[in-house]
Amino acid sequence: MSGNYYDDNWTEKVTLPIKRVGSAWEFYFGGEVPVREGARGELTLNARDITDEKFKQRVTQEVVVRILSEGTELCVALSDRSEDARRFGQWPAVPPAALPPGTTRIERVRLGPVKKKKADQQLELEDVSAQGGLWLKVKGLERCELQGSTVLMPTGFDPATAVSLNHAFTLLSERYEKHRLSHTGNVYERIFYQEADGRWYPLDDLRQGVLVDAECKLLAAAWEEVERSLGWRPSPVKKPKR
């Protein structure tokens, strides 16, 4: 969750077992839940216990929102140990935020076209256009996962295309991280996208919905689209001109 539903100063989360008694929620072991007026939280329950079918559909439906478009450039952080204390690759003027320790190389890749199945040439990602990119798949008000198209590797790299971000990272790691026994990695922490202000942020910010800086407008705009699709936030009404 984005955190907007909580107090800005909350630091400790408590999970309480509760049950429905009449028109109120009570502590499972008896008595009301002693919390202050206006306290906020999340209620987790079995979807089958929701009695209003329209409400159930509203909070469980899936929405896919395009976050990044085909052709968007991404930075991949790697630990190239071929020489000590040097930077390799194509570093941006301002280094990406939250670089993993030991990063010495940054390579640029681009989001390619949507991957197609060999059998029927149908798009693997449903409910999206034929263009490639990166999507945020949301169920209800929960961020679920990022889904991406193919990835175009750096110029001259063989192979020229990877089938996914994970595949792209593995190919780059095999080439430049010779010291590693395994060439898999957390792409959400090792691959970075660029905001409109020119700064680079880890993909994990998109997946988790963490607006790490006031300048991060990309996810905020996408999340507003999700909320409108789910019916949680109505579209703004334009005032008639006088």
Side-chain angles (χ1 to χ4, degrees), residues 46 50 61 87 109 173 221:
N46 196 316
I50 299 177
Q61 66 176 309
R87 285 186 174 184
V109 297
S173 179

Side-chain angles (χ1 to χ4, degrees), residues 95-167:
L99 271 178
T103 298
T104 58
R105 175 182 287 273
I106 288 183
E107 291 293 326
R108 307 289 185 99
V109 297
R110 291 185 180 275
L111 293 172
V114 174
K115 181 174 58 178
K116 296 182 178 181
K117 294 181 179 180
K118 295 182 179 180
D120 53 11
Q121 297 295 297
Q122 295 296 314
L123 298 182
E124 287 196 347
L125 290 172
E126 299 178 356
D127 302 323
V128 297
S129 70
Q131 292 184 337
L134 191 69
W135 294 267
L136 180 67
K137 185 178 180 181
V138 180
K139 183 175 182 180
L141 285 181
E142 298 179 7
R143 287 172 177 78
C144 297
E145 59 181 324
L146 290 176
Q147 295 186 335
S149 57
T150 59
V151 178
L152 304 181
M153 302 298 288
T155 303
F157 198 93
D158 185 24
T161 303
V163 297
S164 66
L165 289 174
N166 283 299
H167 184 215

Side-chain angles (χ1 to χ4, degrees), residues 199-220:
R199 294 181 178 180
W200 295 83
Y201 297 94
L203 291 182
D204 197 50
D205 287 357
L206 295 180
R207 182 180 61 163
Q208 299 294 343
V210 180
L211 300 180
V212 297
D213 190 278
E215 297 297 328
C216 292
K217 306 296 184 184
L218 182 65
L219 183 62

